[in-house]
């Protein structure tokens, strides 16, 4: 079987970011928050400071590494929350139908009509900025695609013989959803989840950039970009490297999502069988 | 109808299932399709009851009601002396009595579960949790349906259509039910495989003392397997009786047409045929539902009410006003027999 | 055989390529059909009967291709024909009807227009004339109220009506050869009987040769003069329809007949256990060596496992491919 290039490149980029984030304490040269030294402010990239330093003289390389931890934490956990909410609502709405389906479909359409970033902004404005608030804000606002997918898959799967058979065998509705329906739509849900993770990384950056996410001095790629605004012409490296990190992470996740779609697609699976 | 005697395992009484079609605009009245419209039937212990009819005649809806998957609009289903409902708590009780074998062996097995998982989960669900007993039952069941014990560890896509149908039969029998609904059990299989499954089903019926309700459009299979047969048209039984009466002395013109429609390999020309198609069930014909296609129809057939299902002696019932006038032509009886 | 053959297929071989390897999906298939004759091909799924029909009408697509043999239609070799020449033949002199008419009809166009298009395309009629002829074409296949039905879309018609529309389209140009691939499998039995009658009558009235495919032996024997039985890409027996039922010679044909619960058999002979054919239908990539039926044959010997049997003529002008045909 051919392993697709997008899966390989995406997997490599994402793995690199994960490794960089998890090994940050060992890979980093300095402490990302405490080691400010104005003597070395706005140093260009070189042997001592690989990515240069920022206006406070902090090592950008170290801060980008630690930033990966925040971006990945936010991306993975918030998307997990989204996936669980979306799958539960979608499968139950598709399976039970009736007023519950009407309600869930209405809610989904509403969520789709409001840009999720605006929604997250509103939530962040109410809550105090910080990691937990970010997870709640991003985890509650981006489940509509998963929900739609889960509902549509359920509608087509529930007429399958094995779902009927499970009913005849006395399975409860919840058991049917968990053992007969969900495992058979896992592929597409994982794909949507991976793509959504890239979106969440971007959203975190945007919120932090606007000052509503991770508060300085903690290094989040978005807040680093925000800090770098004033030096964008004089010391472009301060914004280039966090920007590059966001770019690499999101690109990696999107390629990975596309690649997974190719192998998890039921049609390509039956071709191999 | 007489009281449920001891050898009756399933009784369907005046069962009707009506589906609403669309919602009238501006609160207009909703219309209903009468998918099943007043069906009575009795299944005896150890018998195979064949249910015959064309698509849309209501045979599948009737089967779903018997399994409790479709709530009846009217009437009731009594299984082994207890009325079955469709509520969740009844599901498990019913599962131990009534099971089903599906038509399509490809879509009726969960592609993500091994055969063992498919057979083990229902056992656990019904309180059998000892590993030794589960293994014993699974091994025994696989042997009964003609599969090797190693089959348990494999996934459905590793099996051929006929083997998958054997797995489907094993799943239906693992809870040791008394009644099995067979929904076109061989029509999706390769022709050379069908005999294996038909023989297996008949053998299991004898050894396990099962009762079957078999839905099929293949009259050859129905004749071979059934003890009694009912013919459905537009949600009603139009004729029922012992298999040999139905196949050699059919009383209803529709039954005769069904039999005549099977291509006879020894005769080039075709027998008496009916024309037209099943009417829209939203606006069924007045009087006898079959009159627009019936070669024997007269004015009396078009006037309401619909004819009743009348006993013709023995267990033979026919729903036709002109059944006496349209005596069975000898030619047909010999052509069939 | 005497009489002018309209279609002569000889030594047809169709290959399936999988990952660069070629497997013979159909091999050594020879038969001929005369004008006005109906030839039936019986076999199970995957035996190669449908791709044989597609080869006849030039519609084989990757990964399938004709790898040998000849197909002569009215004296002309179809394999020599350019794609353009084949296209001209298709629809006008050779046409085809399929199992599921819903997928073969355009769902977005009224059926009358789809029939009319055939007249415009192949007969050069103008649209108004073509629309009028479409009504007549529907009347010919006994669609009730054809002048109203022409405005219907495919989804508004029943399965039987859709198959009539397909037949009307196939017969627009008075083809010499009609290929019918399981034309009634998706239909109810009473509707099936009507469609079969229709094909029989139209073929008799217009002298159309019919090549019919089915898995239903009874249907084929009832409809056809000559029958070919296909197993794993090979014709194993070719007989007149009457004799194939009464005295089948190939173990596969015999097995099929003994395994079917034929209507009327139980009331005549009582319920007998059906004879089973052991094993499963082999996939194209795993056809056995020697006689392709040997792993499932009750009478197979070492000869059957080692050597491919040749086609042997029978006294009644039939053909059988079996080492032990007598």
């Amino acid at each position: 079987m051919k392993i697709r290039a997008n899966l390989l490149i995406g997997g490599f980029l994402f793995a690199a970011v994960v490794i960089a984030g998890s090994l940050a304490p060992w890979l980093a040269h300095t402490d990302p928050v405490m080691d400010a030294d104005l003597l070395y402010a706005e140093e260009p990239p070189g042997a001592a400071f690989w990515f240069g330093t920022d206006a406070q003289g902090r090592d950008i390389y170290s801060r980008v590494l630690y930033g990966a931890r925040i971006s990945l934490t936010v991306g993975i956990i918030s998307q997990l929350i989204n996936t669980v909410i979306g799958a539960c609502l979608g499968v139950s709405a598709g399976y039970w139908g009736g007023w519950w389906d009407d309600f869930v479909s209405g809610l989904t359409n509403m969520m789709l009509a409001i840009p999720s970033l605006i929604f997250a902004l509103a939530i962040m404005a109410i809550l105090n900025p910080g990691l937990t608030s970010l997870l709640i804000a991003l985890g509650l606002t981006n489940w509509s695609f998963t929900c739609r997918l889960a509902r549509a898959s359920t509608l087509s799967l529930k007429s399958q013989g094995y779902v009927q058979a499970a009913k005849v065998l006395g399975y409860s509705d919840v058991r049917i959803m968990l053992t007969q329906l969900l495992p058979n739509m896992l592929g597409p849900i994982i794909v949507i989840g991976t793509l959504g993770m890239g979106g969440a990384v971007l959203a975190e950056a945007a919120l932090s950039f606007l000052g509503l996410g991770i508060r300085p001095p903690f290094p989040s790629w978005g807040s680093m970009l925000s800090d770098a605004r004033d030096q964008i012409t004089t010391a472009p490296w301060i914004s280039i490297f966090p920007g590059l990190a966001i770019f690499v992470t999101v690109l990696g996740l999107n390629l990975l999502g596309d690649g997974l779609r190719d192998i998890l697609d039921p049609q390509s699976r039956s071709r191999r069988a | 109808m007489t009281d449920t005697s001891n050898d009756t395992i399933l009784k369907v009484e005046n069962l009707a299932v009506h589906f609403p079609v669309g919602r009238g605009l501006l609160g207009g009245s909703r219309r209903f399709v009468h998918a099943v419209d007043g069906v009575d039937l009795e299944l005896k212990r150890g018998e195979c009851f064949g249910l015959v009819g064309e698509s849309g005649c209501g045979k599948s809806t009737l089967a779903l009601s018997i399994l409790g998957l479709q709530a009846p609009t009217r009437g009731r289903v009594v299984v082994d002396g207890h009325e079955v409902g469709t509520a969740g708590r009844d599901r498990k009780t019913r599962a131990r009595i009534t099971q089903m074998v599906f038509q399509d062996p490809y879509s009726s097995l969960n592609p993500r579960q091994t055969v063992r998982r498919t057979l083990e989960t229902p056992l656990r669900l019904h309180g059998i949790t000892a590993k030794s007993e589960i293994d014993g039952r699974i091994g025994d069941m696989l042997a009964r349906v003609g599969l090797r014990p190693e089959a348990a560890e494999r996934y459905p896509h590793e099996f051929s259509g006929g083997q998958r149908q054997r797995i489907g039969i094993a799943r239906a029998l693992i809870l040791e039910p008394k009644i099995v609904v067979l929904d076109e059990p061989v029509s999706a299989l390769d022709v050379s495989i069908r005999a294996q499954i038909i023989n297996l089903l008949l053998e299991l019926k004898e050894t396990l003392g099962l009762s079957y309700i078999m839905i099929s459009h293949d009259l050859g299979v129905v004749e071979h397997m059934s003890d009694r047969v009912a013919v459905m048209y537009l949600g009603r039984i139009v004729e029922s009786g012992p298999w040999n009466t139905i196949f050699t002395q059919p009383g209803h013109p529709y039954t005769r047409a069904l039999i005549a429609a099977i291509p006879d390999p020894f005769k080039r020309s075709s027998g008496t045929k009916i024309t037209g198609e099943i009417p829209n069930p939203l606006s069924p014909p007045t009087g006898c539902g079959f009159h627009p296609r019936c070669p024997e129809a007269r004015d009396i057939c078009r006037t309401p009410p619909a004819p009743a299902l009348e006993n013709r002696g023995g267990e033979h019932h026919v729903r036709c006003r002109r059944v006496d006038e349209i005596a069975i032509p000898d030619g047909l009886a010999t052509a069939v027999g | 055989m005497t009489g002018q053959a309209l279609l002569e297929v000889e030594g047809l071989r169709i290959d399936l390529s999988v990952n660069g390897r070629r497997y013979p999906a159909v091999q050594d298939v020879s038969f001929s059909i005369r004008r006005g004759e109906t030839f039936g091909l019986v076999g199970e799924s995957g035996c190669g009967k449908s791709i044989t029909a597609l080869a006849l009408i030039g519609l084989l697509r990757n990964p399938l291709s004709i790898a040998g043999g000849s197909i002569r239609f009215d004296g002309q070799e179809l394999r020599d024909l350019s794609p353009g020449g084949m296209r001209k033949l298709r629809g006008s002199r050779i046409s085809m009807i399929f199992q599921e008419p819903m997928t073969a009809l355009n769902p977005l166009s009224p059926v009358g227009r789809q029939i009319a298009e055939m007249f415009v395309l192949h007969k050069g009629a103008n649209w108004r004339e073509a629309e009028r002829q479409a009504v007549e074409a529907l009347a010919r296949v006994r669609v009730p109220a054809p002048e109203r039905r022409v405005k219907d879309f495919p989804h508004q018609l029943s399965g039987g009506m859709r198959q009539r529309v397909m037949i009307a389209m196939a017969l627009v140009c008075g083809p010499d050869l009609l290929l019918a691939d399981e034309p009634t499998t998706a239909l109810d039995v009473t509707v099936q009987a009507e469609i079969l009658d229709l094909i029989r009558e139209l073929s008799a009235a217009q002298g159309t040769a019919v090549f019919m495919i089915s898995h239903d032996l009874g249907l084929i024997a009832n409809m056809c003069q000559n029958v070919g039985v296909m197993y794993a890409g090979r014709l194993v027996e070719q007989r007149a329809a009457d004799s194939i039922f009464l005295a089948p010679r190939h173990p596969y044909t015999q097995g099929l007949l003994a395994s079917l619960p034929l209507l009327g058999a139980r009331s005549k002979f009582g319920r007998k256990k059906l004879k089973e054919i052991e094993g499963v239908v082999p996939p194209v990539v795993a056809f056995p060596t020697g006689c392709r039926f040997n792993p499932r044959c009750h009478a197979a010997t070492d000869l059957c496992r080692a050597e491919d049997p040749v086609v042997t003529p029978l006294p009644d002008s039939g053909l059988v491919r079996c080492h032990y045909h007598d």
Side-chain angles (χ1 to χ4, degrees):
Chain A
M1 195 190 81
K2 276 188 300 186
I3 293 193
R4 286 160 203 282
N6 48 11
L7 187 67
L8 214 66
I9 299 173
F12 174 77
L13 291 179
F14 183 61
V17 177
V18 170
I19 290 169
S22 41
L23 298 185
W26 295 276
L27 293 177
H29 296 162
T30 60
D31 184 284
V33 179
M34 304 309 290
D35 287 354
D37 189 343
L38 289 172
L39 279 177
Y40 297 103
E42 297 183 30
E43 285 279 333
F49 306 104
W50 292 356
F51 292 176
T53 60
D54 64 9
Q56 279 93 49
R58 291 173 300 201
D59 179 28
I60 294 174
Y61 165 72
S62 306
R63 284 175 66 79
V64 166
L65 285 181
Y66 275 96
R69 300 188 136 195
I70 289 177
S71 287
L72 288 176
T73 310
V74 172
I76 292 172
I77 295 183
S78 72
Q79 191 50 40
L80 253 164
I81 301 174
N82 279 318
T83 304
V84 171
I85 295 177
C88 288
L89 288 178
V91 171
S92 61
Y95 187 77
W96 280 320
W99 69 269
W100 175 243
D101 187 24
D102 291 345
F103 172 74
V104 171
S105 297
L107 201 65
T108 313
N109 285 332
M110 225 170 65
M111 293 297 289
L112 284 169
I114 304 170
S116 55
L117 194 63
I118 305 277
F119 205 176
L121 260 174
I123 297 181
M124 288 306 287
I126 299 167
L127 303 170
N128 290 321
L131 189 62
T132 324
S133 321
L134 251 183
L135 291 178
I136 294 172
L138 294 177
L140 292 181
T141 50
N142 202 22
W143 46 263
S144 38
F145 289 104
T146 312
C147 177
R148 285 201 146 188
L149 176 88
R151 180 176 171 272
S153 307
T154 303
L155 288 178
S156 73
L157 287 177
K158 78 173 178 182
S159 61
Q160 296 277 313
Y162 60 83
V163 178
Q164 299 274 336
K167 266 193 222 176
V168 177
L169 287 165
Y171 286 39
S172 67
D173 285 351
V174 173
R175 185 182 289 268
I176 288 175
M177 290 183 214
L178 289 179
T179 65
Q180 310 295 312
L181 294 171
L182 263 180
N184 284 295
M185 59 176 84
L186 217 52
I189 284 184
I190 289 174
V191 171
I192 293 269
T194 315
L195 296 174
M197 232 182 269
V201 169
L202 274 181
E204 182 275 327
L207 287 176
S208 297
F209 183 84
L210 295 172
L212 287 164
I214 301 296
R215 279 285 178 84
F218 295 103
S220 134
W221 294 336
S223 59
M224 288 168 75
L225 277 179
S226 175
D227 290 348
R229 268 176 305 179
D230 295 336
Q231 294 86 30
I232 196 147
T233 46
T234 53
W237 56 88
I238 307 182
S239 45
I240 283 175
F241 287 102
L244 215 57
I246 296 172
F247 171 76
V248 166
T249 311
V250 176
L251 179 72
L253 282 167
N254 283 347
L255 287 176
L256 191 66
D258 277 346
L260 286 175
R261 193 201 317 265
D262 289 341
I263 46 167
L264 295 175
D265 182 313
Q267 277 181 335
S268 70
R269 223 186 321 141
S270 65
R271 267 203 303 277
R272 279 187 295 136
Chain B
M1 287 261 148
T2 50
D3 260 339
T4 309
S5 59
N6 213 15
D7 60 343
T8 298
I9 184 136
L10 170 87
K11 201 167 171 186
V12 175
E13 289 172 4
N14 193 23
L15 190 88
V17 180
H18 299 175
F19 294 115
V21 184
R23 261 172 253 192
L25 272 181
L26 305 168
S29 64
R30 297 178 99 184
R31 302 172 77 191
F32 288 90
V33 167
H34 296 201
V36 177
D37 204 9
V39 164
D40 292 287
L41 65 85
E42 271 185 43
L43 178 69
K44 294 173 187 146
R45 276 178 215 279
E47 110 177 312
C48 177
F49 189 90
L51 212 49
V52 178
E54 296 177 282
S55 50
C57 73
K59 56 189 196 293
S60 299
T61 310
L62 175 59
L64 290 181
S65 297
I66 289 170
L67 289 159
L69 297 184
Q70 174 66 55
T73 313
R74 188 179 74 220
R76 56 187 206 139
V77 177
V78 182
V79 176
D80 213 10
H82 304 284
E83 182 172 351
V84 295
T86 53
R89 63 175 189 284
D90 273 355
R91 211 183 262 177
K92 275 167 86 171
T93 329
R94 201 193 54 236
R96 285 195 290 272
I97 306 172
T98 334
Q99 278 302 320
M100 179 162 183
V101 173
F102 294 81
Q103 172 174 9
D104 182 1
Y106 290 89
S107 71
S108 64
L109 296 176
N110 188 339
R112 306 234 170 214
Q113 292 188 349
T114 58
V115 174
R116 173 181 303 284
R117 182 102 192 276
T118 295
L119 298 179
E120 180 182 334
T121 318
L123 287 176
R124 287 188 180 280
L125 204 61
H126 290 268
I128 294 152
T129 47
K131 193 173 183 315
S132 56
E133 188 176 356
I134 287 177
D135 286 349
R137 282 229 206 173
I138 290 175
D140 180 53
M141 190 46 70
L142 289 177
R144 271 191 196 285
V145 299
L147 290 170
R148 287 174 216 252
E150 305 92 87
E153 312 310 325
R154 290 156 68 190
Y155 284 90
H157 70 85
E158 299 174 60
F159 295 94
S160 70
Q163 289 170 320
R164 282 172 182 236
Q165 198 60 315
R166 289 174 193 269
I167 299 168
I169 293 170
R171 177 182 58 194
L173 299 182
I174 194 80
L175 295 177
E176 300 176 347
K178 293 173 179 158
I179 303 167
V180 182
V181 174
L182 310 171
D183 182 8
E184 303 270 8
V186 298
S187 63
L189 303 177
D190 269 323
V191 183
S192 69
I193 304 298
R194 291 183 185 174
Q196 301 174 4
I197 300 298
I198 292 172
N199 285 343
L200 175 67
L201 286 170
L202 285 174
E203 184 192 307
L204 289 169
K205 180 166 87 79
E206 293 309 314
T207 51
L208 301 176
L210 301 168
S211 310
Y212 289 157
I213 288 186
M214 183 174 68
I215 300 173
S216 181
H217 67 267
D218 186 332
L219 292 184
V221 174
V222 172
E223 185 198 37
H224 182 78
M225 290 186 66
S226 307
D227 299 300
R228 285 189 303 140
V229 177
V231 181
M232 283 185 78
Y233 191 79
L234 278 182
R236 295 202 173 113
I237 290 178
V238 295
E239 180 162 9
S240 67
W243 71 271
N244 47 356
T245 312
I246 297 291
F247 284 98
T248 58
Q249 294 167 292
H252 198 283
Y254 179 63
T255 315
R256 294 185 199 174
L258 278 182
I259 294 170
I262 305 299
D264 184 341
F266 301 105
K267 248 194 336 195
R268 191 70 25 89
S269 68
S270 50
T272 341
K273 299 268 171 72
I274 51 169
T275 53
E277 310 203 349
I278 296 179
N280 183 355
L282 261 177
S283 48
T286 55
C288 172
F290 187 56
H291 84 250
R293 303 175 71 192
C294 184
E296 310 285 354
R298 299 290 181 270
D299 284 344
I300 183 179
C301 304
R302 297 178 186 103
T303 46
L309 194 62
E310 280 172 20
N311 196 334
R312 307 276 305 153
E315 287 182 276
H316 189 200
H317 293 78
V318 181
R319 191 190 291 276
C320 176
R321 288 206 182 103
R322 302 192 65 236
V323 63
D324 288 316
E325 296 154 59
I326 53 169
I328 295 156
D330 288 341
L332 184 68
T334 47
V336 172
Chain C
M1 278 205 181
T2 53
Q4 182 200 358
L6 175 72
L7 178 79
E8 285 180 280
V9 177
E10 254 187 67
L12 180 68
R13 177 181 163 138
I14 301 171
D15 276 2
L16 168 76
S17 357
V18 181
N19 296 332
R21 282 196 65 185
R22 297 168 75 86
Y23 301 90
V26 165
Q27 206 174 359
D28 268 339
V29 165
S30 309
F31 61 90
S32 61
I33 311 178
R34 285 165 294 168
R35 285 181 194 277
E37 184 193 19
T38 302
F39 179 83
L41 201 54
V42 193
E44 298 176 81
S45 56
C47 74
K49 57 191 195 303
S50 289
I51 57 175
T52 303
L54 289 178
L56 297 183
I57 201 169
L59 285 177
L60 278 186
R61 293 287 173 268
N62 250 337
L64 291 160
S65 58
I66 299 181
S70 82
I71 305 168
R72 270 191 311 283
F73 174 72
D74 208 7
Q76 187 178 28
E77 174 58 55
L78 292 188
R79 291 188 65 197
D80 298 340
L81 225 49
S82 67
M86 196 67 221
R87 210 175 301 132
K88 236 184 232 157
L89 217 57
R90 224 169 17 230
S92 64
R93 297 197 63 198
I94 307 179
S95 46
M96 186 158 180
I97 50 180
F98 299 91
Q99 176 174 339
E100 185 28 83
M102 193 63 202
T103 54
L105 288 169
N106 178 356
L108 297 176
S109 172
V111 292
R113 194 171 174 81
Q114 297 187 50
I115 300 172
E117 204 173 354
M118 299 292 292
F119 283 103
V120 175
L121 217 63
H122 291 287
K123 292 271 167 100
N126 64 46
W127 274 103
R128 183 178 300 172
E129 171 65 13
E131 304 261 359
R132 199 185 55 74
Q133 292 198 337
V135 177
E136 277 177 30
L138 281 186
R140 260 202 304 283
V141 293
R142 295 203 293 267
V143 170
E147 55 291 327
R148 270 188 296 151
R149 287 285 92 83
V150 285
K151 299 190 187 77
D152 283 351
F153 288 88
H155 71 265
Q156 293 170 295
L157 301 174
S158 68
M161 283 301 151
R162 283 199 289 263
Q163 196 55 284
R164 284 168 200 269
V165 170
M166 277 303 296
I167 294 172
M169 283 175 74
L171 296 180
V172 153
C173 301
D176 298 305
L177 177 64
L178 175 68
L179 311 176
D181 186 357
E182 306 247 11
T184 58
T185 306
L187 306 177
D188 279 320
V189 281
T190 57
V191 180
Q192 157 171 300
E194 280 189 278
I195 297 287
L196 293 181
D197 272 354
L198 185 65
I199 294 175
R200 213 186 327 249
E201 277 166 34
L202 291 172
S203 132
Q206 307 186 358
T208 311
V210 180
F211 175 80
M212 188 168 217
I213 296 171
S214 179
H215 64 272
D216 187 337
L217 251 171
L219 184 153
I220 287 290
N222 176 273
M223 281 291 287
C224 305
Q225 283 90 50
N226 287 301
V227 179
V229 179
M230 211 164 182
Y231 184 79
R234 292 228 159 114
L235 275 174
V236 295
E237 185 163 358
Q238 235 173 306
R239 303 285 291 281
D242 311 317
S243 47
I244 204 150
F245 254 87
L246 295 172
R249 296 298 279 274
H250 196 280
Y252 176 61
T253 322
Q254 292 168 345
L256 271 190
L257 283 170
S259 75
L260 287 178
L262 278 180
L263 187 62
R266 185 176 172 197
S267 36
K268 221 186 234 168
F269 309 113
R271 178 152 73 191
K272 296 206 175 106
K273 193 176 172 196
L274 298 173
K275 289 230 169 59
E276 297 174 17
I277 306 180
E278 299 293 321
V280 296
V281 182
V284 176
V285 294
F287 283 161
T289 51
C291 172
R292 300 238 168 114
F293 187 58
N294 84 69
R296 303 179 69 189
C297 183
H298 58 92
T301 63
D302 287 341
L303 178 66
C304 304
R305 284 180 274 275
E307 231 173 272
D308 215 353
V310 291
V311 175
T312 323
L314 295 166
D316 66 348
S317 83
L319 300 167
V320 67
R321 187 193 290 274
C322 176
H323 288 299
Y324 302 98
H325 55 87
D326 42 27

